[in-house]
Amino acid sequence: MHRPGAVTRIRVRQVSGSAVRDRRDDLATEEPLEIRLLAGGESRTVAITMRTPGADFELAAGFLYGEGVIGPGDIAAIGYCTDEDLAPEERYNTVTVRLSLPVLPDITTLERHFLTSSACGVCGTATLAALRDRCPAPMTGPAPAAPALTVAPRILYGLPHLLRKAQSGFGRTGGLHAAGLFTPDGTPVGTREDVGRHNAVDKLVGSALLAGRLPFDRHILLVSGRASYEIMQKAVTAGVQIVCAVSAPSSLAVNVAREFGVTLVGFLREERFNIYSGAERITTGDDA
């Protein structure tokens, strides 16, 4: 039985100026992952997403948690599918999540299309109202004397370098996004890579969910690409207070950050960044 890896090796013809040579090249693997739920003797496929193989159980758990399908403690077991009707090469592309619930949860509010891709995620079907129902925004009123989590700019400046150092797959292929989790003093906690930036975040969240380490309310989340609505959705559901991106945020990402009280930093590179929401958590002055 062939288990897909995170990197696929091929031969390419490289042209540089007038020179031509054949050489080996490493590509980021992209294959489908079918996520199935099992509870009360019933089984149902809830999503098919394109992903980079690796940490598949974490990806499934993080996806289901981020979409509000399951909560902490709902997962009894996760495994690759062993159905005899699947070809051997397909079994590692199908994950079954067995729940401790008596019946399958209602998935009518699942915010993705049945088929998602490694690049899209929300695909235009998610609504901000659904996120508000699951994660009520902070109550309005006087601000607290001090935010629960603060970080100095000098700490943020060093995070992209730390994330890049942990991207072994990107170093080989140049084709993977990453999500990294850090403590307020800049200590790396975990990094996950995937062809889809939202999958990388799912893998981080799923890892913590399975280990009982949610929420991420004392950590900083850094993503290697832009900050989209879906990144903010996953951050809010995981309890993240500070989200940083090396690229730009979308308008809806900024709206979500402001509504739910999340600090959002964009264009974090070369010792500069923009703060789009929650500037009170970024210290300035002598301690910066």
Side-chain angles (χ1 to χ4, degrees):
M1 184 184 300
H2 172 66
R3 183 169 184 169
V7 175
T8 299
R9 183 168 296 176
I10 65 168
R11 300 289 299 179
V12 300
R13 176 158 294 179
Q14 184 180 64
V15 180
S16 178
S18 60
V20 179
R21 70 185 181 101
D22 293 333
R23 68 174 183 85
R24 188 193 77 189
D25 194 24
D26 290 333
L27 303 179
T29 304
E30 183 177 29
E31 293 203 1
L33 180 70
E34 178 179 346
I35 302 174
R36 296 181 180 179
L37 285 181
L38 177 64
E42 291 186 81
S43 177
R44 183 180 304 169
T45 295
V46 296
I48 300 174
T49 184
M50 302 304 295
R51 99 300 188 192
T52 298
D56 291 331
F57 298 167
E58 297 174 357
L59 172 57
F63 168 81
L64 294 170
Y65 181 81
E67 297 297 338
V69 177
I70 62 170
D74 287 346
I75 297 177
I78 304 182
Y80 288 110
C81 188
T82 58
D83 288 358
E84 294 183 358
D85 59 339
L86 288 179
E89 64 272 14
E90 295 176 347
R91 294 177 184 173
Y92 282 117
N93 285 339
T94 304
V95 167
T96 298
V97 181
R98 183 164 60 86
L99 303 179
S100 56
L101 305 175
V103 296
L104 285 171
D106 180 10
I107 61 170
T108 57
T109 59
L110 190 64
E111 296 173 351
R112 300 186 192 212
H113 282 305
F114 176 79
L115 175 65
T116 67
S117 79
S118 57
C120 70
V122 185
C123 301
T125 65
T127 64
L128 194 53
L131 184 58
R132 292 186 183 114
D133 289 342
R134 292 164 48 203
C135 305
M139 296 291 292
T140 58
L149 176 66
T150 59
V151 63
R154 59 181 174 79
I155 298 297
L156 297 184
Y157 293 153
L159 299 188
H161 173 68
L162 294 174
L163 183 64
R164 179 65 183 83
K165 282 180 60 178
Q167 289 184 256
S168 59
F170 180 84
R172 293 181 60 185
T173 68
L176 289 171
H177 287 286
L181 199 66
F182 302 87
T183 63
D185 65 0
T187 301
V189 175
T191 304
R192 296 293 185 275
E193 292 183 288
D194 200 278
V195 288
R197 62 176 63 85
H198 60 277
N199 286 344
V201 176
D202 276 339
K203 289 177 178 180
L204 269 182
V205 174
S207 172
L209 177 66
L210 295 174
R213 292 188 286 106
L214 287 180
F216 286 153
D217 57 337
R218 300 300 302 172
H219 296 87
I220 303 163
L221 175 67
L222 172 65
V223 294
S224 61
R226 63 185 177 86
S228 62
Y229 163 81
E230 189 170 39
I231 295 297
M232 296 310 301
Q233 170 202 350
K234 295 178 185 302
V236 169
T237 57
V240 178
Q241 293 189 36
I242 300 177
V243 177
C244 301
V246 300
S247 191
S250 70
S251 61
L252 189 53
V254 173
N255 290 346
V256 170
R258 291 178 176 179
E259 177 169 344
F260 290 90
V262 177
T263 296
L264 177 57
V265 170
F267 292 107
L268 177 56
R269 59 182 75 163
E270 298 175 357
E271 296 198 358
R272 58 185 174 86
F273 56 80
N274 295 338
I275 306 174
Y276 296 87
S277 172
E280 68 276 4
R281 291 194 181 93
I282 311 300
T283 61
T284 55
D286 295 339
D287 56 350

